[in-house]
Amino acid sequence: FYYFIRLCLEKILLQCIFQSRTLSGADAINALRPFYFAVHPDFFGQHPKEREVNENSLKRLNGYLENLQKPGFRSFKPTQLTFYVREREPNSSNVQESFSASGFRAVSFTLHTRDLLSTVLDILNSCSLSTEHVQSLSVNSQPHKEAKSTVDRPIKWDKTYYSFTGFKDPEEELEQAQRVETTLISWLDDNEASAVKKLRKSLPLRKELERLKFELSHQLQLSDIRWQRSWGIAHRCSQLHSLGRLVQQRPEVLKHVKGHTVIFTDRSGMSAAGHIMLGTMDVHHHWTKIFERLPNYYKLQKRLLFLEDRISQLLGGIQVIYIEELQPLLTLEEYYESLDSFYNKLRDSRLPFHPRSLRGLQMILESDRYAPSLHEFGHFMIPTVCDPATLQWFIIAKAQEARENLKRKEEMMIAEKELIDTSTEKFSLDRLYKEPSVSSAQMIDCCKRLLEESLPYLQGMHLCVSHFYSVLQDGDLCIPWNWK
């Protein structure tokens, strides 16, 4: 009897100690500010791949944090996250200026904690960020000051405590979570039912989206309607309804859109690729102004094409291109400014390239790099601030490799499409696609290994190849390209 009483008292004491170490939701957000500053997608505007990875990981992290704050929530599964963390200069004292020009580093970690404080510390430690400020937050959030002396006191209960009371041993659970690696089969077993339920619920909206997209494209004679981000189906339908209302209210302002692509994105304007951008946070008044300015945009686009041609002539016939999937979504004005600056530098340097010696090669301009590089797909990635002499040496030295990469790109794109078609047919998928941050080589590897498996779970599903496991709000299954 006394032993039982002692166990009950120990249980109560343990609960009090954990309560004294609990952060509130607001405290957790404050504690994670250095982390959010290092990974926030808005700071990765020049890096669309890394931006999308961070956006998706933040969604999953926020869901994890929300679950932690739900009373009585017990079902926790280890959650693996990947973030691109902006690098700091080692000797910088100014937080706003402390990130180096070298960019960022990839960090992956698994969350399996059951309270906000431990989760916050795990996140900060995993990203090599300071945790000193968390201690003051955890102390300030204590319900009783007298509990302060017990906050850091480590308590290790005897195994008989857990066997007698039936409570789970947190150390044993942690060890088990670390030992068990998520596999594709086990994850599909756990998540297929949830995905099917969400997918069925989204089917009417998916049909509505296709109907709206077809009707608006036909009515306005658009080339395409696309979205920059992976917004949900309901959100996309809402945006198309909004555009439809504008068509009804002001049909005259849309007379210049024929043959163009409309992209719903973060801001309004015309993109460097010549697409009409409609900011999802803008009202009809802003959209109307963009449509009214289209004739002026078309004039600027002609001047931009002339600049690209002049740069090509100065660089031996190399073609200047803009790859929307690999570059930030620049406005036409921003891209023209970069081209103009680069052209003036080349014109003044008078590089001795032989005319047409680089014909058939491609290059893209980048404003956030300081050294030229060659992409695996064969195009040169040239910084706008690149020294002309360095540029000349690099292009000449890498020209043959660039031609080989361009040839391999064509072969790789054909192989990727064939594998996607074969996988879609074998598993009776409704759709198989990848995130922009997944390369063709990664997609090919993923599909080849999928085709070796028997996966009846996938019939009729929408499968997205990504960098992590997730079920999207409309039932799409996301799996990492390097699944086990």
Side-chain angles (χ1 to χ4, degrees), residues 21-71:
R21 300 184 70 224
T22 300
L23 290 182
S24 67
D27 286 335
I29 292 174
N30 286 332
L32 287 173
R33 277 184 179 176
F35 165 75
Y36 287 130
F37 184 75
V39 304
H40 199 282
D42 287 351
F43 293 109
F44 287 79
Q46 304 295 315
H47 304 279
K49 292 183 180 180
E50 291 76 12
R51 174 175 180 145
E52 184 164 3
V53 170
N54 282 11
E55 279 181 346
N56 290 322
S57 292
L58 278 174
K59 289 177 186 176
R60 300 177 69 229
L61 172 60
N62 289 337
Y64 189 94
L65 295 176
E66 287 175 7
N67 285 336
L68 284 177
Q69 298 174 68
K70 291 179 181 177

Side-chain angles (χ1 to χ4, degrees), residues 193-207:
S194 170
V196 169
K197 183 178 179 181
K198 290 181 178 180
L199 179 61
R200 287 175 179 169
K201 186 178 179 181
S202 74
L203 289 178
L205 273 177
R206 289 180 187 271
K207 291 181 180 178

Side-chain angles (χ1 to χ4, degrees), residues 250 252-253 256 287-296:
R250 299 288 304 278
E252 73 280 0
V253 301
H256 298 295
W287 289 5
T288 300
K289 283 187 175 181
I290 297 303
F291 290 126
E292 290 174 341
R293 290 177 191 160
L294 286 180
N296 292 328

Side-chain angles (χ1 to χ4, degrees), residues 105-125:
R105 55 191 168 87
V107 174
S108 295
F109 54 89
T110 301
L111 294 178
H112 33 56
T113 46
R114 292 172 176 263
D115 65 276
L116 281 174
L117 178 58
S118 300
T119 303
V120 166
L121 292 174
D122 271 5
I123 294 169
L124 294 174
N125 286 324

